[in-house]
Amino acid sequence: GRRESRVCTVRVPINIALVKYWGKRDQTQNIPLNDSLSLTINSLHARTTLRVNYEIGTDSVKINGKSQTVTGSRYQRVFEEVRRWERKRKAGEVAEHPVSIQFEITSETNFPVSAGLASSAAGFAAIAECLQKIFGFTDSQKSQLARLGSGSAIRSIFGGLVRWRRGTQPNYEDSIAEQSFPSTHWPSLRALILVVDEGRKEYSSTDGMQRTVETSTLLERRIECCDVNIDKICAAFSNRDFSAMADMIMRDSNNFHAVCMDTSPPLMYLNDVSRTIIRLVHVYNEKNGSTVIAYTFDAGPNATLYLEEDTVQDFLDFATKQLRFAESAQTEVEEILGHKLDES
Ligand code: PMV
């Protein structure tokens, strides 16, 4: 008879890179040119439910109540891979056994998805987690599925400081993430996210990366430096040396956006508010006599600030005097999301 459907719900957090992943050496498998490093921000998460029905039907994905296009999407890529694996597995059991699997996903995030806050990382890591639980996949398969959906999702599988190794094996099975340090190693670390623009990003990271790989001459130099920079950040993290870590975080963000500007036509992710935040952070650190806060920007204008707990209130007092806040105006900071890295 027909198999019963299976359901799984998980909660998976976002991560924000300290050394960015930018550039693929394999487009279809999302294999990066460089190692990357991130901090997982546990309090911003996706709560995702996956239902698997063993019947023929249309796959569906709903995020915060809104139905998503599945055909031709990254979701479909993940679903097709699972069907392919199951077909292969079943072929060994019953000859010509057709696999009828239908996927139904509903996901809720506790932050605005449109803000481009690495929501896809949390979402795809959650889907991969559910798929592993339901189908009994190995950890390596789970990583592969997360990565297939969104490269950076592979890092959300772990908490704390996480490194994604680009991998050297021809079959890419060693292009996986690993935890460098648990968040408990540095409990006073905090992240503030300044939502500058809730709008959709101008170019997807996939299109942007491809354009950079094809046109930037600076990218090669960036790729050469990533491993050394990751080692420096890990050493600073190990010693809880905030200023050494912060310096490297800001350098990587600026280097990444320099490479974006070196892309033709240029990828201009930062806007005037982003640049004001960059200046503000440097002024604050200067005023303070040491580097106590760091900024980093992904492929969009929103800032993630890293700092220690005892700096949060003073910086907020300082920043709110300097920055204007508005409901929806594009040129002002809309919202500050403040978060501990680990609340569990
Ligand atoms: O995972 P993707 O394909 O959305 O790419 C992420 C790219 C950056 O956010 C800019 C950098 C990173 O390492 O997360």
Side-chain angles (χ1 to χ4, degrees), residues 212-229:
T212 300
V213 170
E214 284 168 2
T215 64
S216 169
T217 54
L218 293 185
L219 180 66
E220 207 181 324
R221 180 69 189 130
R222 169 175 170 74
I223 301 291
E224 281 171 16
C225 297
C226 286
D227 281 351
V228 174
N229 293 348

Side-chain angles (χ1 to χ4, degrees), residues 17 19-22 36 120 150-152 155 201 205-206 209 256 298-299:
V19 172
K20 311 290 183 198
Y21 146 53
W22 200 254
S36 56
S120 65
S150 180
S152 57
R155 297 186 309 241
K201 37 186 179 186
S205 47
T206 296
M209 284 184 206
F256 160 55
D298 280 349

Side-chain angles (χ1 to χ4, degrees), residues 1-212:
R2 213 165 66 191
R3 293 172 66 185
E4 278 178 29
S5 54
R6 309 271 317 261
V7 186
C8 175
T9 299
V10 297
R11 217 182 77 167
V12 175
I14 69 160
N15 72 82
I16 301 285
L18 309 181
V19 172
K20 311 290 183 198
Y21 146 53
W22 200 254
K24 303 177 192 199
R25 71 188 159 92
D26 185 316
Q27 293 256 18
T28 56
Q29 298 287 314
N30 281 345
I31 305 300
L33 285 167
N34 63 290
D35 285 25
S36 56
L37 188 74
S38 61
L39 276 166
T40 295
I41 301 179
N42 267 8
S43 42
L44 297 181
H45 55 256
R47 195 174 173 279
T48 301
T49 299
L50 169 67
R51 176 183 290 275
V52 172
N53 300 311
Y54 293 91
E55 57 190 43
I56 296 172
T58 324
D59 302 325
S60 68
V61 179
K62 212 176 237 186
I63 299 175
N64 295 335
K66 200 170 168 251
S67 289
Q68 309 290 309
T69 310
V70 176
T71 312
S73 73
R74 298 180 294 170
Y75 303 104
Q76 195 180 32
R77 247 164 73 166
V78 175
F79 298 155
E80 285 309 318
E81 188 71 356
V82 172
R83 287 196 186 96
R84 211 169 56 81
W85 290 349
E86 284 300 285
R87 218 174 285 131
K88 228 165 127 187
R89 194 176 62 78
K90 288 258 172 93
E93 291 172 8
V94 192
E96 288 173 63
H97 193 300
V99 259
S100 314
I101 305 174
Q102 187 224 343
F103 299 96
E104 250 176 70
I105 287 168
T106 50
S107 192
E108 306 287 331
T109 64
N110 65 343
F111 56 90
V113 158
S114 55
L117 297 174
S119 54
S120 65
F124 280 109
I127 291 170
E129 193 85 47
C130 289
L131 287 167
Q132 179 183 40
K133 291 222 165 87
I134 289 178
F135 292 94
F137 293 142
T138 63
D139 286 346
S140 162
Q141 285 177 303
K142 172 175 65 173
S143 282
Q144 231 171 295
L145 293 172
R147 193 184 63 209
L148 211 52
S150 180
S152 57
I154 202 170
R155 297 186 309 241
S156 269
I157 290 173
F158 299 99
L161 189 66
V162 180
R163 181 179 193 153
W164 175 15
R165 294 192 182 270
R166 60 192 178 280
T168 53
Q169 296 297 317
N171 58 0
Y172 308 136
E173 67 183 14
D174 58 343
S175 182
I176 53 170
E178 67 196 23
Q179 187 185 63
S180 301
F181 285 93
S183 59
T184 49
H185 181 75
W186 200 339
S188 60
L189 218 49
R190 297 288 182 276
L192 290 175
I193 293 169
L194 305 192
V195 181
V196 171
D197 185 352
E198 287 217 22
R200 282 253 149 236
K201 37 186 179 186
E202 213 171 319
Y203 342 80
S204 73
S205 47
T206 296
D207 295 347
M209 284 184 206
Q210 188 181 357
R211 204 196 290 180
T212 300

